[in-house]
Structures are given as structure tokens and as C-alpha cells.
Amino acid sequence: MNTLSISRRKFAHLLGVGAAAAIVRPRFSVATERPTVKTAPTGSVVVRLSANENPYGPSPQAHAAMNNSFDACCRYPDEANDVLIEKIAKINGVNREQIVIGDGSSEILKLCAETFTGPTQGKLIAADPTFEAILDYSKANGAEVAKVPLTGSFAHDLGKMGSAAQKGLIYVCNPNNPTASITPKNDLRDFISKTPRETMILVDEAYFHYADSPDYESVIPLVKDHPNLIVARTFSKIYGMAGLRCGYGVAQPETIKRMHPFQMWDSVNIMALAAASASLDNADQIGNGRKLNSEAKSFTTSELDKMGYKLIPSQANFIMFDCKRPVVPIIKAMKERNVQVGRLFPALPNHMRLTIGKHSEMESFLAAFKQVMA
């Protein structure tokens, strides 16, 4: 493998964390003006509220960092990888040996499935419903997959999940996708402390930045005391980088070492690393992202409440609500009106998962939804 010939300091400058990025600081509202919708074959605008994406995209600083990284595109991304790892470790109060960077947090989930599940490692225990990717990865690895229904409050049923585990891996998506619900912090902390060390626990915190409930907290601080705990994070959500693919995992060094042999070399491209690194330097993006999402979410949930639809309390950048009838025909009818909403989750066949987009996009959704449900 070629080694990047420029210094880490020089590379940090190319990432846009130097003077050029500091001088030019467009307001966050600039990012809100970028087009975020696709065009249908008929020429109509498609409103995409189906994949929990952040419609505002990466920050202006991240765009500047990508532009500044062009000169390094001919090199392997070792230095950029190191720069990002150091920043992530510092922000989370851990050592760099406790970080693994992935091609989105999806790669972290895949690494965990390949490392900790399978015929010799054990089965995967997951909620139903939850984010399905790790279930597919585990099945492909030859593992048995056990699904445990969520509780009546849409939290993970940690007691039943623990009872079903024998070595292997327990997957906890918190906040959970597709329900946008949380598992209370005290319950999760107690569960982690009581789970035998031979059983691995993966907590997926993809939507961590949107959660504002006092009953929610990250479990990254618990990693230091629990060698069987892994936490996955992503730059796809609050940082608007779903198309760039960058995420990371936090665990104890020995756990990270177990995962490394299953990881593809240089799996994250230099543009994504540049954007991620610059995003961590932008103190405003998290607060702005939360505010914009919260305002559009409040508007949407208020309108749905007026229409008589019951929502699951949301701690993410999307909502899930009961349509009172099978959702599949509604999804199809919405698509015919150029509004894309979330897919079917068989455990909740009458519920629709809806990404919160811009205010104008939510107005388009409500107009189409009222037509479909009339």
C-alpha cells in the first residue's frame, strides 16, 4: 500500500480545518437552500421521506473540506483516517485504540455480525421491529437470528433478550429504527452490567444526536468497564452524510482487535473522511440540525394529531404512527403522488415510518396523505 507523503498537519489543512475554512463561514441556512428532492420521469418533484436522511446535507465547512481534499485523492486515506480517529477519540473521551472507522455505521454492524455471530460464535438477538441490516448480515454469516418483540411502550424487552442469549450478540438500536422510541437509560445500564461477558452487546446510536429525553443517554461512557460492549455511530444523520458513507464503532481495544481482521482495508474514501473531520469541528451543526428537525417534526405531529392519528413518541429525525389500516396500499398511493415514505415493517403492519424533511416537504406529505386517506 502506498503511504501518503504529506504530513498530518498538511492533511488537516487540506481537510479544510485550516485558515480557508475558518475565514469563510456561510450561515447554516445556506445549506437549507440546496435542492434535496429528485425529479420523477413525468417532471414532477419527488418528496423523499423514506430513508431517514437529513435533507439539509453536509455543512458548508464539510463541503469546503471535500474541495480542499482533491489534491490528496490520488493517495490512500491512511492519514485522513488517523486524523478522524483522533478527533472521534477526543470528543468521546476514549483512546484512539478504541475506535474503528467504517463505511457508514452499516460496516460496523457488519463487522460485529461477522466477528461475534455464526455457527461457532453464537446467535443474534434483536428486537422486532428494528433496523434489519444486522439481521441479514448475521444470517449470511450462518447465524441463527432470534427476534424479541418490543414492549408495550416500544422499548427493547431487555429481560427477554438477555434470556434468549447464549454467547453471540445482542443488538440494541437506541433510539430504535423504525419506531423512533428509546429504551430508558437506567434499564439499559442495568442490562449491560448484568450481561455475561461472553455475550457481546452492540448498541446502535445512529440517532443519538436527535434524542433529548432526560430518560436517554449514550452508553459510550460504559465501554471502559465492559469489554463486551460496542457502540456504533454514524455521520449519515445529524451530519447529513448518508451518501458519503462514514461511521465508527467504540469498544475496548481487544474487542476492536477482534473485529479488524474482518474489515476491508481503506473502506472509507478520502472525501468522506474529510467531510466527517470538518463536521466534528463545526460546533453549530448539531444544534442547528436539531432545531430544524424539531420544528418540522412538531408541525407534522401536530397536524397528524388533529387528524386523529396516534404517534409513537419520537426521539429521532423520523416518526412512526398508526394509520389505522394496512400501510402497504397507503405507501403505494403516496408514491403515485410523488411522496415516498418508509417501507413496511411486518411487526407493525398498520404503522407508517415517516422521515422528517423540510417544512415544505412535510406540507407536501400532509396534502398527499389527506388525499389518500379521504
Side-chain angles (χ1 to χ4, degrees):
M1 182 187 302
N2 292 336
T3 301
L4 191 63
S5 59
I6 58 179
S7 69
R8 187 170 301 171
R9 181 176 297 176
K10 173 65 173 175
F11 197 90
H13 178 73
L14 290 174
L15 292 183
V17 298
I23 292 171
V24 182
R25 281 189 174 272
R27 296 191 310 274
F28 188 85
S29 59
V30 173
T32 70
E33 295 166 5
R34 297 191 189 101
T36 61
V37 294
K38 300 189 300 182
T39 302
T42 59
S44 302
V45 173
V46 173
V47 178
R48 178 166 162 161
L49 305 173
S50 56
N52 298 345
E53 297 154 330
N54 180 346
Y56 305 104
S59 68
Q61 292 87 340
H63 279 275
M66 286 188 282
N67 287 332
N68 292 338
S69 71
F70 287 161
D71 289 345
C73 285
C74 60
R75 306 295 185 182
Y76 288 109
D78 305 285
E79 292 286 342
N81 197 75
D82 287 346
V83 169
L84 182 58
I85 284 177
E86 289 178 357
K87 289 184 179 183
I88 291 171
K90 183 177 180 180
I91 286 172
N92 290 288
V94 300
N95 298 323
R96 58 172 292 112
E97 292 76 18
Q98 294 179 253
I99 304 295
V100 57
I101 301 292
D103 185 38
S105 59
S106 294
E107 184 179 11
I108 306 304
L109 271 57
K110 189 172 190 293
L111 287 173
C112 288
E114 292 177 336
T115 308
F116 305 114
T117 75
T120 60
Q121 296 294 330
K123 59 186 175 182
L124 174 76
I125 311 296
D128 189 22
T130 196
F131 184 51
E132 312 99 328
I134 195 168
L135 281 71
D136 293 337
Y137 299 147
S138 297
K139 290 175 183 176
N141 205 44
E144 177 187 350
V145 172
K147 297 181 182 180
V148 177
L150 296 171
T151 69
S153 60
F154 298 98
H156 286 73
D157 194 330
L158 298 174
K160 290 183 179 178
M161 294 177 79
S163 299
Q166 295 177 348
K167 300 193 306 180
L169 178 67
I170 298 174
Y171 174 66
V172 178
C173 187
N174 195 35
N176 188 47
N177 180 8
T179 55
S181 52
I182 60 170
T183 297
K185 60 184 181 183
N186 292 337
D187 294 347
L188 186 53
R189 188 188 303 117
D190 185 60
F191 172 72
I192 291 170
S193 69
K194 293 179 179 178
T195 299
R197 291 194 171 190
E198 59 269 20
T199 301
M200 303 301 295
I201 303 170
L202 170 60
V203 180
D204 185 344
E205 295 186 347
Y207 302 96
F208 156 77
H209 294 101
Y210 292 103
D212 58 6
S213 169
D215 213 13
Y216 178 85
E217 66 182 11
S218 170
V219 297
I220 286 180
L222 303 183
V223 167
K224 67 179 185 299
D225 296 321
H226 299 282
N228 59 334
L229 177 61
I230 308 152
V231 182
R233 290 275 186 88
T234 184
F235 286 89
S236 295
K237 306 305 177 183
I238 198 77
Y239 295 112
M241 289 175 46
L244 286 165
R245 313 308 302 133
C246 189
Y248 63 93
V250 182
Q252 290 194 9
E254 288 303 315
T255 302
I256 298 293
K257 287 179 182 178
R258 290 178 64 186
M259 297 165 65
H260 272 314
F262 297 93
Q263 185 173 31
M264 185 176 73
W265 289 8
D266 300 324
S267 61
V268 185
N269 72 77
I270 209 161
M271 305 295 283
L273 293 167
S277 186
S279 294
L280 293 179
D281 291 336
N282 181 4
D284 297 329
Q285 187 166 3
I286 293 175
N288 285 331
R290 283 175 175 166
K291 181 176 183 292
L292 290 166
N293 183 260
S294 178
E295 290 172 350
K297 182 161 64 174
S298 294
F299 163 70
T300 306
T301 56
S302 175
E303 292 299 310
L304 288 171
D305 183 66
K306 292 175 186 176
M307 297 165 65
Y309 294 102
K310 185 176 181 180
L311 292 87
I312 300 172
S314 171
Q315 288 289 301
N317 68 336
F318 61 95
I319 59 175
M320 199 175 207
F321 66 97
D322 188 354
C323 294
K324 304 179 185 179
R325 66 193 201 208
V327 74
V328 171
I330 302 174
I331 294 171
K332 182 176 182 294
M334 294 292 289
K335 187 175 182 180
E336 291 171 353
R337 289 163 174 78
N338 295 323
V339 178
Q340 298 177 356
V341 297
R343 60 192 178 277
L344 167 70
F345 292 88
L348 296 170
N350 291 353
H351 280 69
M352 176 185 291
R353 190 191 71 180
L354 177 69
T355 303
I356 299 299
K358 298 178 180 181
H359 192 281
S360 60
E361 293 173 325
M362 305 321 296
E363 289 178 328
S364 297
F365 160 76
L366 289 165
F369 186 68
K370 289 175 181 177
Q371 291 177 7
V372 169
M373 303 303 282

